Amino acid sequence: MYNYTDFDTAFIKERNAQFRSQVERRIDGSLTEDEFKPLRLMNGLYLQLHAYMLRVAIPYGTLNSRQMHVLADIADKWDKGYGHFTTRQNIQYNWPELRDVPDMLDALGEVQMHAIQTSGNTIRNVTADHFAGAAADEIADPRPVAELIRQWSTDHPEFQFLPRKFKVAVTGSQNDRAVTKAHDIGLRMVERDGATGFEVIVGGGLGRTPMIGKVLRDFLPREDLLPYLEAIVSVYNLLGRRDNKYKARIKITVHENGLEDFGARVEERFALIRPQFGGVDQQMLAGIESDFAAPEFRSAATQDYEDARQHYPAFRSWADTNLSEHRAPGYAIVTISLKAHGATPGDATSAQMRLMADLAKRYGHDELRISHEQNVILPHVHKNDLPSIYSALRAAGLGTANIGLISDIIACPGMDYCALATARSIPIAQEIATRFDELKIEHDVGPLKIKISGCINACGHHHVGHIGILGLDRAGVESYQITLGGDGTENAAIGERAGPGFSADDIIPAIERLVMAYLDLRSEPAETFLDTYRRLGLAPFKAALYPEARANAA
Amino acid sequence: MPRAFTPKVVTANALLEGDVIYQTVSGWSRNLEEAEVLTDEADADLRLIDASQQQELVVGVYLADVDISGAAPKPTHFREDFRARGPSNYAHGKQEVKAHV
């Protein structure tokens, strides 16, 4: 893991002291809300529907047990005993009081964490594959690069007032678990002639105008990364629309100017600024890489694991669903589900956070990850430790065996918390998970990603859900629109709108009809929902969703 | 023809806690039931201006429609209903406060 330098520590301290003074001046009336709002947003503090919300960065989703313990302590001391992990690998506290926030930031600073650039029209928290450094399919660990980008972008004077927010994701694997094609810039580490470089994808994004990113460079040498990124963001800063916030993201800039023209401008800018990067960035990267050295994996038999699989069906079910292939023999990647049936997706109590931290410390080389799918990962676990881990997780309500299944739903906070939302997301996710748990067909259905957003901004990634649900306000009533066939992987696709929306009461039965139709339509149990959809198209699913339309047409 | 003015309350968030609050005849309350109902547009405009000037207490002041057919004002839109009631997944908002009254 990256460790703060003296410069980093001093920077965070100074920044927190500034914000403390700004909060004091807001409270004593020296600052108006108009003056204060941009200052609080620069420090991750929003005012939401019922309360303030503090969004804390977890860069590239990586943290250690001490940091997780402090997140739990903050939840207990200044919030309501829980935190919400988001689709941007952040954690959000939903109930802080204004005068406490400087203390919360100081507590974060003590463990090398902060809330800088988790809001505003700037380069946001850099996200990465949550299996980074552990995945069997990895070309290289993307986190040192993500950390370099974080350092480069933090308080970068040119990029504090971009036309709109700007999101960068990095993956080091061919299997894209970071949704790189739905980011302003997506970076895929690739190899060519034995050298590692990047495929640079630009102009992806969801929101009201969803677009899949386009390849700007199919191979960018490692040493060119920062100047090339700087060239992209500079060109966007110049060309990006500031007259209309809905057309301000880089996806619109690329779309309106064309990839070729945009790329030519980037290359021109890149040629100009490349000489200014004299290699210091590469020296820094080399230093950062040493911080991310792999732990020493032990070589041991996995008999305890095999025995547990054989004798305990519940453990086997969990292991089959929640484990992923590790690059070291005898090891596994554990995904801890924050999606217990009926629970709020992404929420963890302080007790659960402490347990996960302790498990990471004891069994997981002191590493945890947050996934964009709102789960927590123990990236390095020896298989013989899995029975003990499962037992502890299960006792804490964290043993749900549903990763990648229908109840492993991404859901934004929706109108239960978010000031921008137009409908609720959380109760819909809770009801779907509960319903399919009652039906006991979740494992039969197999891999199926449902993603729910409470407004058109698409924080719940509904456009790339196999089944996407978008909550809207239709004449003062919550209405839910379904999209089908979305995909957030390397084969990224935007889902197709199925038809008119459903009321809150009708959406759960509609999803049930959809899934039952899939079970009837699939060619064999191994054919996934997405495969079936791609084979047959929208029509049979639409017929299941809107049986009355078929009856009327008859 | 101008639209008829419908009954409203002045609402905002409290500066220190962020709680949803409503303007009463004499100050602010966490309970919609205690809000001052404004049925005259000119009065509503004046009360809105008055509330907006109380920056030391409140943030994001606006007028919200209410239904006054019952004994106490009620929200007419689901967003205001959630603001008055608290989130639906936990009793962590106004539900919690009311449980301790």
Side-chain angles (χ1 to χ4, degrees), chain A residues 59-61 89 124-129 141-153 168-171 187 189 198 225-226 285 288 292:
Chain A
Y60 33 91
Q89 299 181 303
R124 299 289 187 89
N125 183 37
V126 179
T127 55
D129 180 358
D141 187 340
R143 292 174 302 158
V145 169
E147 173 59 27
L148 183 71
I149 297 169
R150 186 186 75 87
Q151 293 189 22
W152 160 76
S153 63
V168 181
V170 197
T171 180
L187 298 170
M189 299 176 92
F198 300 93
L225 180 65
L226 278 196
L285 180 58
I288 293 168
F292 287 91

Side-chain angles (χ1 to χ4, degrees), chain A residues 26-27 32-33 47-52 80 82 95 97-99 344 347 415-417 419 422 424 426-427 430 473 476-478, chain B residues 13-20 55-60 76-79 82-90 92-94 96:
Chain A
R26 174 66 183 99
I27 291 172
T32 66
E33 185 60 21
L47 182 59
Q48 295 284 29
L49 206 64
H50 306 291
Y52 288 97
K80 292 185 185 286
Y82 77 102
W95 304 95
E97 296 192 8
L98 179 58
R99 67 169 82 249
T344 303
D347 279 9
M415 198 182 267
D416 280 311
Y417 295 92
T422 47
R424 290 173 299 171
I426 293 168
Q430 290 174 306
D473 176 348
V477 177
E478 287 172 292
Chain B
N13 290 78
L15 171 67
L16 293 179
E17 300 87 2
D19 291 359
V20 174
Q55 291 230 348
E56 76 285 6
L57 292 175
V58 300
V59 182
T76 60
H77 189 278
F78 63 87
R79 184 177 193 275
F82 301 148
R83 289 183 78 241
R85 201 172 63 202
S88 49
N89 60 334
Y90 303 122
H92 278 166
K94 293 187 179 299
E96 187 181 48

Side-chain angles (χ1 to χ4, degrees), chain A residues 51-302:
Chain A
Y52 288 97
M53 180 271 279
L54 180 67
R55 181 181 292 151
V56 176
I58 302 174
Y60 33 91
T62 293
L63 72 171
N64 61 28
S65 61
R66 186 163 166 245
Q67 290 171 323
M68 186 67 116
H69 265 283
V70 167
L71 295 182
D73 293 345
I74 288 172
D76 279 341
K77 190 168 182 183
W78 292 295
D79 208 82
K80 292 185 185 286
Y82 77 102
H84 175 74
F85 292 103
T86 78
T87 56
R88 298 267 317 137
Q89 299 181 303
N90 297 309
I91 185 170
Q92 294 181 173
Y93 294 103
N94 286 328
W95 304 95
E97 296 192 8
L98 179 58
R99 67 169 82 249
D100 291 334
V101 175
D103 289 339
M104 296 169 81
L105 294 178
D106 280 349
L108 290 166
E110 290 293 319
V111 288
Q112 309 190 344
M113 297 183 82
H114 61 74
I116 296 168
Q117 291 184 198
T118 59
S119 176
N121 293 336
T122 185
I123 298 173
R124 299 289 187 89
N125 183 37
V126 179
T127 55
D129 180 358
H130 43 265
F131 292 169
D137 60 3
E138 189 170 85
I139 294 167
D141 187 340
R143 292 174 302 158
V145 169
E147 173 59 27
L148 183 71
I149 297 169
R150 186 186 75 87
Q151 293 189 22
W152 160 76
S153 63
T154 300
D155 255 17
H156 192 303
E158 192 180 338
F159 303 139
Q160 294 307 301
F161 298 96
L162 294 169
R164 279 286 275 146
K165 58 187 169 183
F166 200 92
K167 300 173 182 178
V168 181
V170 197
T171 180
S173 296
Q174 286 185 340
N175 298 302
D176 184 2
R177 290 173 288 265
V179 209
T180 55
K181 290 183 177 175
H183 282 75
D184 296 290
I185 294 177
L187 298 170
R188 289 184 57 233
M189 299 176 92
V190 289
E191 278 180 340
R192 181 181 285 183
D193 302 328
T196 308
F198 300 93
E199 180 185 70
V200 182
I201 301 158
V202 70
L206 303 177
R208 71 177 57 219
T209 315
M211 289 188 185
I212 298 299
K214 300 170 178 70
V215 176
L216 195 59
R217 272 276 197 114
D218 60 2
F219 187 85
L220 181 76
R222 274 167 67 94
E223 58 273 20
D224 288 342
L225 180 65
L226 278 196
Y228 199 74
L229 289 185
E230 186 147 318
I232 294 172
V233 187
S234 291
V235 170
Y236 162 63
N237 204 12
L238 191 68
L239 289 185
R241 298 267 301 261
R242 291 174 193 268
D243 60 322
N244 181 342
K245 70 179 281 195
Y246 303 115
K247 295 185 175 179
R249 298 290 290 269
I250 193 172
K251 60 189 172 187
I252 306 294
T253 311
V254 172
H255 180 72
E256 288 188 346
N257 292 274
L259 184 66
E260 201 173 320
D261 176 70
F262 185 83
R265 290 170 190 262
V266 169
E267 293 297 337
E268 188 182 344
R269 177 78 182 151
F270 172 66
L272 197 66
I273 64 176
R274 180 66 187 89
Q276 296 167 16
F277 288 76
V280 175
D281 54 323
Q282 292 306 300
Q283 290 167 21
M284 288 179 70
L285 180 58
I288 293 168
E289 277 174 337
S290 66
D291 286 330
F292 287 91
E296 277 191 29
F297 298 121
R298 74 178 195 262
S299 179
T302 57

Side-chain angles (χ1 to χ4, degrees), chain A residues 483-500:
Chain A
T483 52
L484 295 172
D487 184 358
T489 70
E490 60 282 2
N491 304 312
I494 302 295
E496 196 175 356
R497 193 179 148 192

Side-chain angles (χ1 to χ4, degrees), chain A residues 372-530:
Chain A
H372 79 271
E373 291 176 311
Q374 302 178 286
N375 293 312
V376 176
I377 319 291
L378 301 177
H380 311 296
V381 174
H382 193 276
K383 286 183 176 177
N384 261 7
D385 294 327
L386 288 168
S388 302
I389 288 174
Y390 174 64
S391 174
L393 289 174
R394 194 171 167 173
L398 291 167
T400 310
N402 65 345
I403 297 304
L405 303 183
I406 197 167
S407 62
D408 184 12
I409 298 169
I410 285 183
C412 73
M415 198 182 267
D416 280 311
Y417 295 92
C418 180
L420 299 175
T422 47
R424 290 173 299 171
S425 301
I426 293 168
I428 304 303
Q430 290 174 306
E431 287 178 44
I432 291 172
T434 302
R435 180 63 185 143
F436 281 91
D437 188 39
E438 289 165 354
L439 293 172
K440 301 296 174 203
I441 59 170
E442 184 167 24
H443 288 261
D444 293 334
V445 171
L448 173 51
K449 292 183 187 294
I450 297 184
K451 301 177 195 281
I452 308 174
S453 301
C455 79
I456 203 160
N457 294 308
C459 294
H461 297 182
H462 67 277
H463 293 295
V464 292
H466 304 165
I467 298 174
I469 302 175
L470 167 62
L472 295 167
D473 176 348
R474 287 279 179 259
V477 177
E478 287 172 292
S479 173
Y480 295 90
Q481 203 173 78
I482 290 178
T483 52
L484 295 172
D487 184 358
T489 70
E490 60 282 2
N491 304 312
I494 302 295
E496 196 175 356
R497 193 179 148 192
F502 295 89
S503 70
D505 287 339
D506 292 338
I507 185 69
I508 311 302
I511 298 296
E512 190 175 326
R513 289 198 300 279
L514 198 58
V515 174
M516 292 306 178
Y518 152 67
L519 292 176
D520 283 344
L521 291 165
R522 67 184 179 186
S523 60
E524 52 170 338
E527 187 180 56
T528 65
F529 178 91
L530 189 59

